[in-house]
Amino acid sequence: MEELKIRETTEKHGAQVEADDLLAGDTIQADHDDLQAMVKSVADSSSSTSGGSDDDDNDNEGPGLTFRVLVLGTVFSIALAFVNMYYWFRSNPISVGIAVVQLLSLPAGWTMSRVLPTRTFNTLGFRWTMNPGRFNMKEHVLISVFANASTGTAYALDIVVVRRFWIGPPLSFGAGVVVALTSQLIGYSFSGLFHRFLVEPDAMVWPSTLASVMLFRALQSMVPRTQGAHTAGRLKTSRLRVFWIAFAASFAWYFVPGWAFPTLTMLPILCFAAPKNIYANQLGDGYSGLGMLALTLDWSTISNAYTGSPLATPWFAACNLLVGFVVVMWIITPAAYYANAWGAQELPIYTSDLFTTDGSAYNVSRVLSDGRLDDAAYREYGPMRMSFQFLAMYGFCFMGITCLVSHVALYHGADIWRIVRQSVGGLRLRQRLRLWRWRSESAAEGNSDAKQAAVPGLWYACVFVATVAMGVAACQAFDLLPWYGFLLAIGMACVLTLPVGLVEAVSNFQYALGVVTELVAGYLWPGQPTYNASFKMFGYITMRQALTLTRDQKLGRYLRVPPRDLFVCQVLGTLVAVFVQLGTAFWLMDTVAGICTDAGFPFTCRQARLFYSTMVIWGVIGPQRQFADGRYPGLYWMFLAGVFLPLPFWLLRRRFPRSVWRLVNLPVALTYIGYMPNAPTHDFVMFAAFCFVFNYLLLKHRSSWWRSYNFTLSAALDSGLAVSGIVGYFALQTTVPLDWWGTRNHCPISKDPLSAHRT
């Protein structure tokens, strides 16, 4: 990641981003040609889609936060919050993503533009209308951003469920609302604090937003530019044809690996060759092994929640990830396992399960008393063991935390300091105060930039003050955290938002820092699982919410959506999602017999059980017993290693500025390791292969085709998959189960420890 070239934007906060701004030669260095090409592709698509027409100008000047946005945004938020929360409790959870909203909101918005009255109403001096005209791009984006808050469940729901069924005392509905709103909203203030670092610089590309940009433009090209007009010519554009062909192909194909032939999701070549060989099973299984020579023909495996779309990921980032994956998973892990490091051969090679000293499953309930550790029972039962790869994951997470801070300090420290000095000392007092006014000077009537005015700092400050007050009150009233622990957690989130955001903005990968919050809380409050989970919620989820809003703000910048409208929709969507998700959760917990137990199948609360296990590791047994006084004290040296690891690569980059060393990004290389175990091991190699083909070979040798179709293809494949997954789940998987060779496990002994097969 090259130096941030940040232009002074003091006098044009919130100004729309033109193609010339996106392509400015000094904003994205030639070191990352794939990043520059990605932004150029989006800029070119804007020109080719609009053609510089008056219709496009009218679309950019159209209203944003309209009656249609509020109605459709609320409807989709309620629907997604209910469905995703309902299936969160089930043994096989599904998640309805934002792509479904992008597809369905277009015909809904267009229909409302045709049937709603155009009469203007006057409410307390505010003039508004149900139908301001054609359904435009801004409304389409705002509806999706509104509903996006409901695509994931609030982290506070885990605490509500765990305290109700396993730890106690249970939280009431009102308490859950306060805790959820605090954890979901407080991060938005950090987004405003770092807006100038993470949104305004053109070097901050946020690659995942580019596929969304192309999807919005492809769908909007179907909307008549004037009421009643038919746009046959626009419907026949090549991008639109590519989108719908790829969408249909992705939709139809997923029924094969998703239902009829699941073996295509993982083709374990080594297991096919030697199904009864323990080494072939351990090395070749992509779910319980290391995934060597395991292929996939399932797009949901290649483009998944851990990696994102390979077509929307820069090749330099995927290459760094591939090197990190190969070194850790295919070199270090098998070498240590077969050398029997820490008695690794007595346990499976790849699992997140917990074990006793003799290799049997660890029964956590035997060391708990009233939700807290019973020291006498723990001494009698013995310490907890983890697989070598599980330990390696924690070790490399420790390394990644300090490596991330060191990397940002070396590569971007001077630029960050310069921007801070310019922001604080380089502006006149009047200019600084302008950022905190409710209306910017550009908001005068008739000024076209008024609709692009930046979100006032006072808005962020109000959210921060309100949520901090709610957080302190909730922590004290419901025994979630001491007040100073809450302040420490949000302080950590604030400090880590910038370095994590700098990496994600160019690589498409967010470093998982949940481990550092669990570690700190484990030392501060040993034997207090609720404190540990709450500290993670406020320290990690706050940062993640800040980056979510930041990513949406960048999307709005690309598509010229007013930042204030985006902010309002994000907050409203969060409010709707919290109330609906909590209402659904309490309804299920009160009405489903045996919920969160095997007797309540399929409502077995698989997600909550995993969360509970994590609380036990860090909050009950704690890092002191597990990593300092226990069997694995050497892992803490990884913190020190991470501090110095980026230094030699930084020196090589300075000595050879045009060599391959300029592309090395160690925090990115370590990102994927944080998802293991649990993440499949066979998906990433195929992910990297697709990224190499599309974002290196085609970009280099067929750049014209790549600029025209790459992101359109990515959006189509992901959208078709999302719709097919929902239809297939309801229509086939739950009603027409299959049982044949193509649905069976072909690595039957991959979960066995090596010691069980010694002769």
Side-chain angles (χ1 to χ4, degrees), residues 410-440:
L410 289 172
Y411 286 76
H412 306 297
D415 288 297
I416 293 173
W417 177 245
R418 175 174 55 83
I419 297 169
V420 170
R421 292 183 60 187
Q422 289 176 349
S423 300
V424 176
L427 303 179
R428 297 190 302 273
L429 177 62
R430 179 167 173 257
Q431 291 173 323
R432 292 202 297 270
L433 292 177
R434 183 181 304 158
L435 301 178
W436 296 87
R437 296 176 57 184
W438 281 100
R439 294 182 61 198
S440 64

Side-chain angles (χ1 to χ4, degrees), residues 396-401 404 500 503-504 509-514 540 543 666-668 670-672 674-675:
F396 282 102
C397 282
F398 296 161
M399 175 189 287
I401 293 164
L404 175 66
V500 175
V503 173
E504 183 180 1
F509 291 95
Q510 183 182 119
Y511 198 86
L513 291 176
Y540 172 55
M543 179 204 72
L666 291 177
V668 173
L670 294 172
T671 297
Y672 197 70
Y675 298 122

Side-chain angles (χ1 to χ4, degrees), residues 159 163 167-168 479-481 528-535 615:
I159 296 179
R163 284 190 54 158
I167 292 181
D479 194 27
L480 298 175
L481 264 180
Q528 295 282 352
T530 298
Y531 285 9
N532 195 285
S534 300
F535 191 85
M615 290 178 66

Side-chain angles (χ1 to χ4, degrees), residues 144-204:
S144 300
V145 169
F146 197 123
N148 193 39
S150 299
T151 56
T153 57
Y155 194 83
L157 265 298
D158 293 276
I159 296 179
V160 170
V161 175
V162 168
R163 284 190 54 158
R164 174 155 178 165
F165 292 111
W166 290 295
I167 292 181
L171 294 175
S172 66
F173 179 83
V177 168
V178 173
V179 174
L181 286 178
T182 302
S183 62
Q184 296 294 97
L185 290 176
I186 196 170
Y188 293 171
S189 54
F190 298 153
S191 174
L193 179 64
F194 298 115
H195 186 276
R196 195 177 181 202
F197 298 90
L198 299 176
V199 177
E200 292 182 9
D202 294 336
M204 300 292 98

Side-chain angles (χ1 to χ4, degrees), residues 734-749:
T734 58
T735 58
V736 191
L738 297 179
D739 183 13
W740 67 290
W741 181 88
T743 65
R744 296 169 188 160
N745 179 16
H746 301 285
C747 298
I749 58 175

